[in-house]
Amino acid sequence: MCRVINVLSHKGGCGKSETVLNLAYGLHAKGKRVLVIDCDPQSNVTSILTAESSLTTGDSNQLLENYRARTETGFMAALAALGEYVQSHRDSRDIHDVMEGNCSSEEAICRTKYENVDIIPSGIELSMTDYQLKNRSLDPYRALRSGIQQVKDAYDYVIIDNQPFKMH
């Protein structure tokens, strides 16, 4: 039976992401299958769990070629080249796509550097998901619940990292 752990607080900077990472690692160390869902547009958990090694020589050369091909110069050229590189290496699907119905949860799952720990990553697009769903009279929580239902049988635990929320 899959257990869902939802880590949330109305305050930022209180250790939600760190708690999620420590829970995932601890459960992984006990041999449990864990899915982390990053529901924070800051994507800190995504960045840590999907962190790759340093740029390869090929990546460095691609970045340098993009920089040299720019019509801008200096900082603006470097910024544009880096933006292209990041976009070309972006995870193809994330929790925003799942909640918007653009893909299934299975399609959004990424492997991490830890065995038996997977992640549905987050991205900046998530900051508008709540608004976009409510604008179409859809419930964001129902969309998230539906996404979890699709994959819960493959995991012992689903751990959700949330952005700070406002209490009304």
Side-chain angles (χ1 to χ4, degrees):
M1 177 177 176
C2 180
R3 293 185 171 225
V4 177
I5 301 171
N6 197 3
V7 180
L8 52 99
S9 174
H10 67 280
K11 186 175 181 303
C14 63
K16 292 181 299 297
S17 297
E18 186 174 341
T19 299
V20 167
L21 291 167
N22 285 318
L23 277 169
Y25 184 79
L27 291 166
H28 143 78
K30 292 192 172 278
K32 302 298 182 184
R33 297 167 300 155
V34 180
L35 175 64
V36 174
I37 301 177
D38 192 351
C39 286
D40 187 344
Q42 288 184 355
S43 308
N44 292 329
V45 170
T46 296
S47 297
I48 291 168
L49 288 179
T50 61
E52 297 177 11
S53 57
S54 301
L55 288 175
T56 65
T57 302
D59 288 339
S60 298
N61 289 339
Q62 177 190 359
L63 191 55
L64 186 57
E65 286 174 25
N66 287 348
Y67 171 74
R68 289 180 176 153
R70 308 298 311 168
T71 56
E72 307 94 342
T73 58
F75 176 75
M76 293 309 293
L79 185 62
L82 183 60
E84 286 178 16
Y85 174 82
V86 168
Q87 189 62 32
S88 70
H89 287 77
R90 178 187 178 270
D91 295 318
S92 58
R93 301 294 188 169
D94 60 25
I95 191 61
H96 163 80
D97 294 310
V98 173
M99 292 176 70
E100 286 278 331
N102 298 329
C103 74
S104 68
S105 293
E106 293 93 348
E107 292 173 293
I109 292 173
C110 296
R111 304 289 170 240
T112 70
K113 54 188 168 186
Y114 301 103
E115 187 177 345
N116 290 328
V117 177
D118 295 334
I119 186 168
I120 297 180
S122 180
I124 193 66
E125 298 88 0
L126 185 62
S127 59
M128 291 300 295
T129 302
D130 188 60
Y131 171 77
Q132 290 169 339
L133 289 172
K134 287 180 179 175
N135 199 32
R136 296 190 326 238
S137 299
L138 299 172
D139 180 5
Y141 300 107
R142 186 177 310 228
L144 180 59
R145 191 176 307 118
S146 173
I148 293 169
Q149 287 294 111
Q150 294 173 22
V151 295
K152 70 178 181 133
D153 293 336
Y155 297 95
D156 298 309
Y157 289 88
V158 173
I159 307 172
I160 306 168
D161 184 34
N162 289 280
Q163 63 184 323
F165 65 93
K166 295 180 182 176
M167 295 179 57
H168 301 316

